[in-house]
Structures are given as C-alpha cells and as structure tokens.
C-alpha cells in the first residue's frame, strides 16, 4: 500500500498539470460555446451554426479528397519500400521524413511561388508560348497543398504496418495459386489495415482543420472551417469561434471512433 | 516490375523535393522575384542576417524549445513511472486524457488553451496575459504526451525483479530510480526529449493562438513574412533551415552507425 502511494505521488504533478491544461481548457471551449459576450447563458451560437454548414461540408469534402489521394499515392510506395533491401529502406524512410521537418508554412509558401499566375510554371510555359494557366485559388490548389504537406503522415504508418507482413505469407499465397490481385486484396490489404487506419486519421485531421493552406492556396474562394475559426477569434467573435471548435472537435473524435471500430472489426475478422 | 517500382519511388521523391529545391534555387536570385531567376547573388542571405526581428524570433524559438522539451521530459518521465503503477481503470482514464492533445486538431488545442489563459487573465484583471509564459505552458502541454508515450513502453519492458533486488539490498527509492530504473529507460527518455524538441521548434498553429503580439517564434515570424509581399529572404531562411536539418540528420546517422559497429565488434570479441 505504501509503495502505491509513493508512485501515485511521483505522477501527481503531471495529473495536476493534465487537469489544469487539458481538461479545464476543454471545459472552457464548452463554456464559451454556451455563453454570449457578457458571459450569460445562450443557445444563440448553436442556432447560428447552420450558417456554417456549407463551410463544414467543404472542409470535410476537401479533406477527404486529399486523404484519398494520399492513400492512393502512399500505398504502393510504402509497399515498395517495405519490400526493398534494408539499406534502401532506411534511406527512403529518411527521405520521406526529411520534408516533414521543414515548416509547413515554408512548404506551402513554396507551392504558392510555383503555381501563382506569374509563378514558376507559368513563366516557364510562357517561354514556349503556352498559357498562362490559372491554378492558384482553386479547390485543386488547396487539395494539392494538403496532399503535399501531409503525404509523409500517410507513408510512415503504412510502411510500418507493411514491414510486419511476413514474406513467407506472400510466398505461400503465390504458391497456392493466388494471382497478383488476389494477393493484394486478400492478403496484403487486410494485413495493412491498422496502418491504413492510422494513416487516414493522421492526414484527415490536419487537412480538415487547416487554415494556412487554404488561405495561401485557396484565396478567398475556399474558406475552410479553420479559416472561419481564425477570423472569429481575430474579430473578437470568441463565443462563435469556440462553438465552431467544439463542433470540429466532436466531429473528428466521432470519425476516429468510427475508424477504430472498423479497424478492430477487421482484426477480429482476421482471427476467425 | 523492379523497374516500375524504382521509377515510382523516384517520382514520389521528385514530388516531395521539387518545392524544396525551388525554394533553395530562388534564395540565390539577384532580383527580388521568387519565380523569375535573373542572376546569382547572396544579397538575401545578407538581408536575412541583418533582420533583427527574424534573429530574435530564432532565439526565442530555441529558448522555448529547450525549456519546454526539458521540462516536459522531466515531468513526463515522472508521470510515466506513476502511470505504470496505476490500476487498469485509472490508467485508462489518465491515458485517454493524455491522448487528447494528440488526437484533437491543433487549432482546437490552441484555442482551448487560449480561452483558459484569457479567462484566467480576466479573473486576475489583466488584458494581455498572452506571451512567453503562456507559450511555454502550451508547448510543455503538447510535448508531454509524446514523452509519456515513448517512456511507458520502456518501463513495461523493465524487469521488475531488478527493482525488487535493489530494494531488497537496501537501496533507497531515489537511488533505485537513478541507478536501476533510469539507465534502463534512458533510450525512451531521449527519444521523448528529441520528439518534444522538434515538435516545439516546428509548431505554428498552437503558438499562433497562445503567444500574443509581444512574443514571436520563428514559425510565427514566417507567418507574418508570408502575409505581406514576399521577398526572397524567406527563401534564404528556408535554405538555412533545410541545410541545418540535413546536417543534423547526417550527424545522427553517422553516430548511430558508429555505435552499431562498436556493438558488433564487441559481440564478435565476446564470442
């Protein structure tokens, strides 16, 4: 008993920190959502949410498209890396991680200089007499920014799930006459589901909630939920901003719960 | 098949590195355009090194990163030791709360902390609470889960008989921790510290909401630089950041390879 007390004591500074700086701030978001600027209880913010329905739909749609594209690009890549020599694997994973350490703002800014109306692509094209093409401030540009910035977050979990797939299992499938498609869909994919699930959440969450990428690459036409929250707080619309954050948080936690449910069902199915 | 897979890997790498190459290339531009190259020059590097706001932002970033990762490493390691001993139910509760800042979008974490600080400020009757202190608290908070999650598995792997043996031999609890437990979980502690440090240096979204106008870190400085008409000095900054990351990675890799070789030699000598 004495021993347990002591170890509780060791952790207690963190428990206090956790309550003050994780739990209480969450309650603060809820508190500001249900009050007006003078601190009186109100449901006005919740009622006003319908004004932002389109923004939510657009954010979720663009985030989902970006996540899907990341999955399509990353899946074969992760598989190829996981099947190459140990030294190549190490090298490739380094190369995938390196851009992640460049600040997101700089990576996004770089795309801005590339696809602007007077940007690098258009100035190169004009030399051979084509263009100019309008690329920036489109939905495609926003999705491009999301895919580029968050692609490594998809590749890494997929890769780590795939390195765990035993080579013998693939050989056994081949020996037993499974063709390439059967091997991909009946063996590799089911075994890589945990990686797919964590990859999807790691790309979808920052994509849906981004505000810098959409500001820089989407202009004023593609305002996402993150931009709205940002402007609410800049213009002292603190309570509405808190409400939107609350909804965003609940939406994302629900998505993750659903994904995890799906993943554990899949694992159980594998055991049967 | 092999050829296709190699070509595909190269293609994705080109996609990942082309924008970085572009940034570096135009940092040497003589003109002030970030898309039309007019000649070689180092003027943007010169401008960058004379820009005091950027230099002080860099200094602030390093101070906050070192302090926050140091504090969160100590606090997080102690927390992991405590959490490891909790019963299953309590452990579940604590870990679910610990995971919250990692699962929540950064913007929500940032806003929730800002609301807390502003609320606390309004109780204390102060209008500008946001600054170095709140930024440091926020960084410690989002670093903590990563430290805890990298230390906990090491504690679970630790043979509990070792600790019991030390206690049976009359070793006081403090000494047992520093002489027996800590050396065995050190790799997890170091990983946690490094993750915390890099996360802190890189963070923009949370810092944006909790730092206020008086205190600027490098990502916040970059944000305000890209808000106005951009000058290639930001390309020069990107180049310097990229080169320092690259050098750091290479150094870490070389050191690791050396360690592995040493371990290999020792293993052979033991045989």
């Amino acid at each position: 008993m004495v021993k347990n007390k002591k170890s509780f004591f060791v952790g207690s500074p963190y428990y206090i920190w956790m309550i003050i700086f994780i739990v209480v701030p969450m309650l603060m978001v809820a508190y500001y959502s249900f009050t007006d600027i003078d601190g009186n209880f109100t449901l006005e913010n919740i009622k006003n949410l319908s004004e932002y329905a389109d923004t939510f739909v657009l954010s979720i749609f663009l985030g989902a498209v970006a996540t899907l594209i990341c999955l399509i690009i990353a899946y074969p890549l992760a598989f190829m890396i996981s099947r190459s020599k140990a030294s190549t694997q190490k090298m490739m994973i380094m190369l995938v991680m390196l851009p992640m350490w460049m600040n997101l703002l700089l990576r996004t800014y770089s795309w801005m200089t590339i696809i602007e109306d007077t940007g690098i692509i258009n100035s190169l094209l004009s030399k051979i007499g084509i263009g100019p093409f309008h690329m920036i401030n489109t939905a495609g540009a926003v999705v491009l920014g999301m895919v580029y910035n968050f692609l490594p977050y998809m590749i890494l979990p997929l890769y780590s799930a795939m390195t765990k797939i035993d080579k013998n299992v693939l050989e056994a499938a081949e020996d037993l006459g499974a063709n390439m498609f059967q091997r991909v869909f009946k063996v590799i994919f089911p075994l890589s589901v945990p990686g797919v699930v964590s990859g999807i959440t790691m790309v979808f969450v920052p994509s849906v909630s981004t505000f810098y990428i959409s500001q820089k690459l989407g202009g004023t036409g593609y305002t996402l939920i993150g931009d709205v929250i940002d402007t609410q707080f800049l213009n002292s619309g603190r309570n509405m901003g808190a409400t939107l954050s609350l909804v965003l948080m609940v939406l994302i936690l629900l998505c993750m719960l659903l994904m995890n449910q799906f993943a554990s069902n899949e694992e159980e199915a594998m055991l049967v | 098949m092999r050829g296709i897979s190699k070509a595909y890997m190269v293609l994705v790498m080109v996609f990942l590195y082309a924008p970085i190459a572009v940034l570096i290339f135009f940092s040497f531009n003589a003109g002030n355009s970030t898309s039309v190259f007019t000649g070689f020059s180092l003027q943007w590097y010169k401008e960058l090194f004379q820009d005091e706001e950027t230099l002080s932002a860099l200094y602030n970033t390093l101070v906050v990163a070192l302090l926050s990762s140091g504090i969160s490493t100590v606090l997080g390691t102690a927390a992991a030791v405590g959490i490891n001993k909790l019963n299953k139910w309590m452990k579940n509760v604590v870990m679910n709360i610990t995971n919250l800042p990692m699962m929540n979008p950064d913007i929500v974490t940032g806003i929730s902390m800002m609301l807390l600080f502003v609320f606390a400020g309004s109780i204390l009757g102060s209008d500008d609470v946001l600054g170095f202190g709140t930024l440091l608290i926020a960084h410690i908070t989002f670093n903590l889960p990563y430290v805890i999650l990298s230390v906990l598995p090491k504690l679970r792997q630790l043979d509990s008989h070792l600790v019991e043996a030390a206690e049976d031999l009359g070793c006081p609890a403090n000494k047992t921790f520093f002489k027996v437990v800590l050396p065995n979980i050190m790799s997890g502690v170091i990983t946690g510290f490094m993750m915390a440090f890099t996360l802190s240096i890189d963070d923009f979204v949370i810092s944006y909401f909790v730092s206020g106008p008086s205190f600027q870190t490098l990502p916040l400085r970059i944000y305000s630089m890209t808000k106005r008409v951009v000058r290639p000095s930001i390309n020069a900054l990107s180049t310097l950041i990229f080169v320092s990351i690259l050098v750091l990675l290479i150094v870490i890799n070389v050191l690791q390879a050396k360690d592995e070789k040493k371990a290999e030699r020792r293993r052979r000598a033991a045989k």
Side-chain angles (χ1 to χ4, degrees), chain A residues 83 166-178 183 187:
Chain A
R83 298 295 118 176
D166 192 341
K167 208 168 127 197
N168 295 326
V169 175
L170 291 180
E171 275 167 15
E174 201 175 351
D175 289 347
L176 293 168
R183 267 178 281 151
V187 184

Side-chain angles (χ1 to χ4, degrees), chain B residues 101-118:
Chain B
M102 296 201 307
M103 299 200 306
N104 254 336
D106 281 353
I107 191 168
V108 175
T109 308
I111 277 167
S112 68
M113 298 203 79
M114 181 188 92
L115 289 175
L116 171 76
F117 296 140
V118 170

Side-chain angles (χ1 to χ4, degrees), chain A residues 67 71 75 153-154 157-159 161-162 188-203 259 262-263:
Chain A
T67 309
L71 185 63
Y75 203 87
Y153 295 117
M154 184 65 90
L158 282 176
Y159 164 78
M162 282 172 182
I188 300 171
F189 186 74
L191 287 172
S192 66
V193 162
V196 174
V197 169
S198 65
I200 288 178
T201 43
M202 283 172 82
V203 174
M259 289 293 293
F262 174 72

Side-chain angles (χ1 to χ4, degrees), chain A residues 3-4 6-8 10-11 13-15 17-26 28-29 31-32 72-77 80-81 83-84 88 90 92 94-107 109-114 116 118-120 123 127 144 147-148 151-153 155 180 205 209-212 215-216 225-227 229-230 233-234 238 241-242 245-246 248-249 252-253 256 260, chain B residues 1-2 4-6 8-10 12-13 15-20 22-23 26 34-36 75-79 81-83 85-86 90 93-94 97-98 100-101 103-109 111-119 122 136-137 140-141 144-145 148 164 167 173 198 201-205 208-209 219-220 222-223 226-227 230-232 234-235 237-239 241-242 245-246 249 253 256 260:
Chain A
K3 208 165 137 191
N4 276 334
K6 210 181 262 171
S7 55
F8 186 81
V10 173
Y14 171 68
Y15 305 144
W17 187 283
M18 183 181 87
I19 289 166
I20 299 177
F21 296 116
I22 299 178
V23 179
V24 174
M26 291 294 135
M28 281 291 153
V29 175
Y31 168 77
Y32 277 91
I72 293 170
I73 297 176
Y75 203 87
L77 183 81
M80 287 163 191
I81 297 176
R83 298 295 118 176
S84 45
T88 318
K90 208 174 167 194
M92 289 301 288
M94 270 306 183
L95 284 175
V96 169
M97 282 166 77
L98 187 54
M100 280 166 61
W101 278 307
M102 274 289 269
N103 199 282
L104 176 136
L105 307 180
L106 294 173
R107 286 179 282 159
Y109 154 74
S110 170
W111 276 108
M112 219 173 93
T113 67
I114 296 174
E116 265 172 345
T118 55
I120 293 161
S123 71
K127 280 191 185 137
L144 172 74
V147 170
Y148 179 73
L151 185 61
Y153 295 117
I155 298 173
M180 205 171 85
V205 173
S209 60
T210 185
F211 66 99
Y212 187 76
Q215 270 171 22
K216 289 292 144 188
I225 198 63
D227 302 307
I229 295 176
D230 177 32
F233 277 92
L234 282 181
R238 201 167 274 159
S245 313
L246 187 70
L248 181 65
M249 180 169 85
I252 281 175
L253 291 182
M256 290 176 85
N260 287 333
Chain B
M1 196 58 213
R2 183 124 293 181
I4 296 174
S5 106
K6 211 169 239 169
Y8 187 72
M9 285 200 228
V10 171
V12 178
M13 289 306 133
F15 174 62
L16 282 178
Y17 282 90
I20 296 174
V22 163
L23 278 180
F26 282 97
T34 52
S35 52
V36 182
L75 208 58
T77 306
V81 172
I83 291 170
K85 295 266 174 64
L86 289 177
M90 276 296 282
V93 173
V94 172
I97 299 175
T98 300
L100 260 182
M103 299 200 306
N104 254 336
D106 281 353
I107 191 168
V108 175
T109 308
I111 277 167
S112 68
M113 298 203 79
M114 181 188 92
L115 289 175
L116 171 76
F117 296 140
V118 170
F119 187 81
S122 73
L136 184 63
I137 290 175
I140 293 170
T141 308
L144 272 167
I148 293 174
E164 281 161 23
E167 278 166 359
T198 47
I201 282 191
D202 205 42
D203 176 71
F204 162 66
V205 178
Y208 174 76
F209 285 105
L220 294 173
I222 295 169
Y223 179 72
T226 55
K227 258 201 149 164
V230 265
R231 293 164 71 76
I234 195 169
N235 294 54
L237 180 64
S238 316
T239 307
I241 292 176
F242 185 75
I245 297 165
L246 193 66
L249 264 184
N253 259 320
Q256 262 180 358
E260 271 164 33

